[in-house]
């Protein structure tokens, strides 16, 4: 049975861990807040006091941490990584992932970025979308593991291409949600029935399934029990803007959206589902 070390057991990390246990993997888990490992430990995982404790028995280290700098810090604390593959599945910048790959190489390990699209429900079902970046042979070696988390793991290209795919998709999440919120606000202000509007939108080429997923939340103003929070959406949008500028892409039109999301900082909206940005588009 494969032994895996999982560093980071937040909403997504815990779901990935549960999925790995369900398919028969032996799992070591660590989180800065040890209480966040409780569910996985109860399900059969071994809790680590320090992130490097499980390396002797693990050939793969999956990280699902908040960002690139935190991931680099934790991986750096592991020491020598000979014979081990580091697989970061959280969102980070392109430049951050390239730098981390170099760091892992210096520590003697191999590296495969594998950010995912999807959240807790998809992770538990093994239906995440995995966008890997790295060497072909490393991807092939980790394919059986990734196949337990995604129906069709994809190698996008070299290190950085997986991170680019993830940032591009998360930017679309932010832009689509914002655009739909604005449309909904104007529709309601005009007195048009929302259901009538949706009857036109759904069969059109403009429709995206996420619209219906978020419509009920926006209409009821209920943003609790999130799979992806407003604060994380803001973080990832800022990361996209930074990487876009490094790549020479003019993404200045998104600066207003980033500023809008800043208004959620420190409020209940920040810890709610990202569709809570709908509350921010109320200009009254």
């Amino acid at each position: 049975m494969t032994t895996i070390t999982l560093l980071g057991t937040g909403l997504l990390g815990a779901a990935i861990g549960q999925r790995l246990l369900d398919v028969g993997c032996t799992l070591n888990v660590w989180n800065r807040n040890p209480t966040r490992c409780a569910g996985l430990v109860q399900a059969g995982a071994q809790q680590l006091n320090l992130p490097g404790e499980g390396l002797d028995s693990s050939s793969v280290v999956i990280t699902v941490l908040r960002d690139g700098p935190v991931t680099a810090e934790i991986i750096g604390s592991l020491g020598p990584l000979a014979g081990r593959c580091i697989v970061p599945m959280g969102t980070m910048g392109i430049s951050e992932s390239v730098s981390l790959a170099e760091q892992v190489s210096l520590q003697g390990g191999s590296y495969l970025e594998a950010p995912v699209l999807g959240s807790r429900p998809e992770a538990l079902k093994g239906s995440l979308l995995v966008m890997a970046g790295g060497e072909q042979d490393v991807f092939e070696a980790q394919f059986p593991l990734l196949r337990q988390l995604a129906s069709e793991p994809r190698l996008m290209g070299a290190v950085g291409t997986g991170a680019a795919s993830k940032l591009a998709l998360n930017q679309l999440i932010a832009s689509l949600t914002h655009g739909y919120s604005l449309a909904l606000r104007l529709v309601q202000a005009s007195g048009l029935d929302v259901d009538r509007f949706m009857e036109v939108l759904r069969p059109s080429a403009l429709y995206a399934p996420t619209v219906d997923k978020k419509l009920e939340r926006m209409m009821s103003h209920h943003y609790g029990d999130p799979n992806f929070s407003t604060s994380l959406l803001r973080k990832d949008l800022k990361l996209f803007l930074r990487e876009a500028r490094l790549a020479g892409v003019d993404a200045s039109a998104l600066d207003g959206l980033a500023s809008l999301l800043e208004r959620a900082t420190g409020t209940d909206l920040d810890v709610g589902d990202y569709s809570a940005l709908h509350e921010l588009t109320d200009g009254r």
Side-chain angles (χ1 to χ4, degrees):
M1 229 180 328
T2 302
T3 300
I4 298 163
T5 290
L6 173 66
L7 307 179
T9 56
L11 282 172
L12 179 60
I16 288 173
Q18 186 60 58
R19 172 66 181 177
L20 293 173
L21 289 170
D22 290 346
V23 298
C25 295
T26 300
L27 189 66
N28 300 322
V29 295
W30 174 86
N31 194 281
R32 286 185 187 271
N33 181 351
T35 62
R36 302 200 74 174
C37 296
L40 291 174
V41 171
Q42 188 175 9
Q46 175 68 41
Q47 185 163 358
L48 307 176
N49 294 315
L50 295 170
E53 280 185 352
L55 288 186
D56 289 344
S57 61
S58 301
S59 59
V60 179
V61 178
I62 293 176
T63 67
V64 193
L65 300 164
R66 180 174 177 84
D67 56 28
V70 169
T71 305
E73 174 193 346
I74 297 302
I75 295 302
S77 74
L78 301 182
L81 295 171
R84 292 167 181 83
C85 185
I86 304 301
V87 183
M89 304 193 84
T91 304
M92 67 177 73
I94 302 165
S95 55
E96 291 172 340
S97 188
V98 170
S99 177
L100 182 57
E102 294 170 352
Q103 174 184 321
V104 168
S105 179
L106 289 174
Q107 290 177 245
S110 59
Y111 183 86
L112 184 74
E113 63 182 10
V116 302
L117 188 67
S119 52
R120 182 174 175 80
E122 291 78 17
L124 291 171
K125 292 186 294 184
S127 60
L128 292 166
L129 295 175
V130 173
M131 301 157 282
E135 297 295 330
Q136 180 73 37
D137 60 335
V138 180
F139 175 73
E140 290 175 358
Q142 299 308 323
F143 185 84
L145 171 60
L146 297 177
R147 184 64 181 76
Q148 300 299 331
L149 300 171
S151 58
E152 191 177 354
R154 297 178 182 274
L155 180 63
M156 309 305 288
V159 172
T161 58
S165 300
K166 172 62 171 173
L167 286 179
L169 290 169
N170 278 20
Q171 181 275 133
L172 285 174
I173 291 173
S175 294
L176 283 169
T177 306
H178 181 229
Y180 181 62
S181 174
L182 293 176
L184 187 59
R185 288 287 183 196
L186 188 64
V187 163
Q188 290 178 303
S190 74
L192 173 61
D193 182 75
V194 172
D195 289 338
R196 182 63 59 86
F197 172 69
M198 293 301 299
E199 289 172 359
V200 174
L201 177 60
R202 286 191 185 101
S204 77
L206 300 173
Y207 177 72
T210 189
V211 167
D212 270 314
K213 287 183 178 180
K214 300 307 177 183
L215 176 59
E216 184 177 350
R217 285 187 179 273
M218 290 179 174
M219 295 295 289
S220 66
H221 308 282
H222 171 71
Y223 306 107
D225 192 27
N227 290 314
F228 188 54
S229 69
T230 306
S231 65
L232 289 177
L233 183 69
R234 180 177 63 251
K235 172 188 72 72
D236 290 353
L237 182 62
K238 286 182 175 179
L239 195 52
F240 176 90
L241 285 167
R242 191 190 76 185
E243 293 293 333
R245 287 172 183 130
L246 288 173
V249 175
D250 184 355
S252 57
L254 292 173
D255 288 337
L257 177 53
S259 296
L260 186 72
L261 288 167
E262 283 289 353
R263 289 166 43 194
T265 304
T267 72
D268 290 343
L269 301 179
D270 222 22
V271 296
D273 184 85
Y274 67 85
S275 58
L277 76 79
H278 183 57
E279 302 303 309
L280 304 174
T281 59
D282 185 353
R284 293 172 294 178

